[in-house]
Amino acid sequence: MSRINKNVILALLTLTSSAFLLFQLYYYKHYISAKNGAGVSKSKGNRIGFDSTQWRAVKKFVMLTSSQNVPVFLIDPLILELINKDFEQVKNISHGSTSECKFFCVPRDFTAFALRYHLWKNEEGWFRTAENMGFQCLKVESKDPRLDGIDSLSGTEIPLHYICRLANHAIHLVVFHERSGNYLWHGHLRLKGRVDRKFVPFRKLQFGRYPGAFDRPELQQITLDGLEVLIPKDPVHFLEEIPHSRFIECRYKEARAFFQQYLDDNTVEAMAFRKSAKELLQLAARTLKKLGVRFWLSSGTCLGWYRQCNIIPYSKDVDLGIFIQDYKSDIISAFQDVGLPLKHKFGKRTAWNYLSREKMM
């Protein structure tokens, strides 16, 4: 009898303890946690996401470039797309008014910025400061293609990309160089033999898989996740350029070999034609760009670029091509408005010839 009473008492104690424990858990979940959570939110001002690795890395990078007067601008496609979804609201955000990290806290391995190299005055000092702030930086250099046509300078190396890692997030700084055609160019990111391939996941980089060319963007400053950054004033245009930015360099060595066998025509007439032809190309390119029409160099103009890196002086015209699906009826009037009247029309909208006699004389 005493044994039965002891088992009953033990069972009752066990049930009572379990019920009390469940009550404690319920009370903590619904009252204590809620109260503490409200206190934390109030003390932090609802600043959500600002402890992320991505944001801290970008913040340090922005502080670094600002302290060194390095005029970098944001070119990260993912973030620019997010900005573009609500561009007007983003432009009106004031410094310190952001309560939630919506852009730089998006999970990713890299954040891409760009720099116009001729504006960078203290590269070595920047590197030292970056290392002191905890960044591990990799510099990628290669030959300057702009000098390939000059024997005495061919082989000179220039910086193309910088990758600075902080913890498990990296900043990819793409170096833009000025080109004679009034555009910006960046080089191919090629890793040399001794570079640690595991430094960052290089295959995930948005820029550097091939050389690229972009229009020189006008910039504007905005506040993004509490940080002041520069971005392209027209982010849509910059994003549209990325898929079509691949740059094919002229074959300077082959061109020199061609002119060793066939003398170049440097007469006054040939020089004048080349100058007029290049001006005509620029005018046609601007006109088609305004219409949103893609084009390419065709026929003799393309041959001249490929074979001798120049306009063929005896061709006496400029050849461009477009896809039939890109044809627009207002192409004729657009060319007419810039002084390029229609002279000949061949076939069914496939080979129309626009030629300004004044331009080509």
Side-chain angles (χ1 to χ4, degrees):
M1 185 72 178
S2 59
R3 180 179 297 178
I4 295 175
N5 291 336
K6 288 181 180 179
N7 291 336
V8 171
I9 292 171
L10 181 61
L12 290 173
L13 289 173
T14 302
L15 289 173
T16 304
S17 299
S18 300
F20 183 72
L21 179 61
L22 290 172
F23 173 78
Q24 285 182 312
L25 292 173
Y26 179 85
Y27 181 78
Y28 179 82
K29 180 179 179 181
H30 290 276
Y31 294 95
I32 303 298
S33 296
K35 183 178 180 181
N36 289 342
V40 170
S41 297
K42 185 176 181 180
S43 63
K44 291 188 177 182
N46 294 323
R47 289 176 63 80
I48 303 170
F50 288 91
D51 58 345
S52 71
T53 303
Q54 298 96 314
W55 186 81
R56 290 199 302 268
V58 173
K59 179 184 178 182
K60 276 199 170 185
F61 179 77
V62 171
M63 292 171 57
L64 168 64
T65 55
S66 177
S67 66
Q68 298 290 312
N69 294 319
V70 182
V72 301
F73 56 98
L74 183 69
I75 60 170
D76 193 284
L78 174 61
I79 300 178
L80 289 181
E81 286 174 358
L82 292 175
I83 292 172
N84 187 56
K85 289 180 179 179
D86 201 358
F87 193 31
E88 292 302 319
Q89 182 178 349
V90 171
K91 288 191 297 184
N92 295 324
I93 294 176
S94 60
H95 183 69
S97 64
T98 304
S99 61
E100 183 177 357
C101 187
K102 298 180 179 179
F103 302 95
F104 291 127
C105 297
V106 176
R108 63 199 184 284
D109 295 294
F110 299 91
T111 301
F113 286 84
L115 166 74
R116 290 168 64 179
Y117 186 67
H118 75 283
L119 299 176
W120 200 351
K121 305 301 181 184
N122 185 19
E123 180 182 351
E124 295 302 323
W126 184 87
F127 264 105
R128 288 193 298 269
T129 305
E131 291 175 353
N132 292 335
M133 294 179 69
F135 283 103
Q136 293 177 285
C137 293
L138 171 67
K139 179 180 179 179
V140 178
E141 295 182 305
S142 190
K143 295 179 181 179
D144 189 344
R146 298 169 297 181
L147 304 177
D148 279 351
I150 307 174
D151 291 331
S152 60
L153 297 176
S154 181
T156 302
E157 292 201 339
I158 56 174
L160 300 177
H161 299 267
Y162 297 86
I163 299 176
C164 293
R165 185 181 66 188
L166 185 69
N168 62 350
H169 190 72
I171 304 296
H172 181 197
L173 182 58
V174 182
V175 182
F176 281 123
H177 295 269
E178 304 281 337
R179 298 294 293 249
S180 59
N182 197 33
Y183 60 92
L184 300 179
W185 169 91
H186 73 75
H188 185 192
L189 197 160
R190 287 193 178 96
L191 299 178
K192 297 183 178 179
R194 296 181 180 180
V195 174
D196 180 9
R197 262 61 176 179
K198 297 181 180 180
F199 182 69
V200 292
F202 291 100
R203 293 187 178 182
K204 294 184 180 181
L205 289 171
Q206 296 283 345
F207 300 90
R209 298 174 187 172
Y210 42 76
F214 292 82
D215 293 335
R216 186 181 286 101
E218 186 179 352
L219 304 177
Q220 73 174 41
Q221 183 171 290
I222 63 170
T223 299
L224 211 59
D225 293 338
L227 303 175
E228 293 184 355
V229 295
L230 291 171
I231 66 168
K233 194 170 185 178
D234 186 353
V236 174
H237 177 67
F238 186 86
L239 288 169
E240 289 175 346
E241 284 188 290
I242 294 176
H244 310 290
S245 65
R246 185 165 188 164
F247 184 83
I248 302 176
E249 198 70 55
C250 180
R251 308 185 315 153
Y252 295 105
K253 292 181 180 179
E254 288 78 1
R256 287 202 299 271
F258 175 81
F259 286 124
Q260 287 176 357
Q261 186 174 1
Y262 305 97
L263 294 179
D264 192 11
D265 187 352
N266 290 318
T267 61
V268 175
E269 292 79 8
M271 300 286 283
F273 172 76
R274 283 174 174 155
K275 181 176 182 296
S276 297
K278 290 177 181 179
E279 291 174 353
L280 185 60
L281 272 175
Q282 292 177 351
L283 180 60
R286 288 196 300 269
T287 304
L288 291 173
K289 180 181 177 181
K290 288 181 180 179
L291 295 172
V293 176
R294 299 171 295 171
F295 73 94
W296 62 86
L297 300 184
S298 180
S299 305
T301 305
C302 183
L303 174 63
W305 169 83
Y306 181 79
R307 186 180 66 186
Q308 55 209 71
C309 296
N310 211 330
I311 301 292
I312 299 175
Y314 53 81
S315 61
K316 302 305 179 186
D317 64 0
V318 170
D319 303 298
L320 302 177
I322 68 170
F323 291 110
I324 187 62
Q325 60 265 28
D326 292 333
Y327 170 78
K328 297 181 178 180
S329 58
D330 51 358
I331 287 180
I332 297 176
S333 59
F335 273 86
Q336 177 77 41
D337 292 341
V338 296
L340 298 175
L342 178 65
K343 297 293 184 181
H344 302 285
K345 179 179 176 181
F346 304 100
K348 297 181 179 180
R349 304 186 306 194
T350 57
W352 294 4
N353 184 8
Y354 295 90
L355 180 62
S356 171
R357 185 175 301 173
E358 294 75 19
K359 289 283 183 182
M360 306 303 293
M361 290 296 289

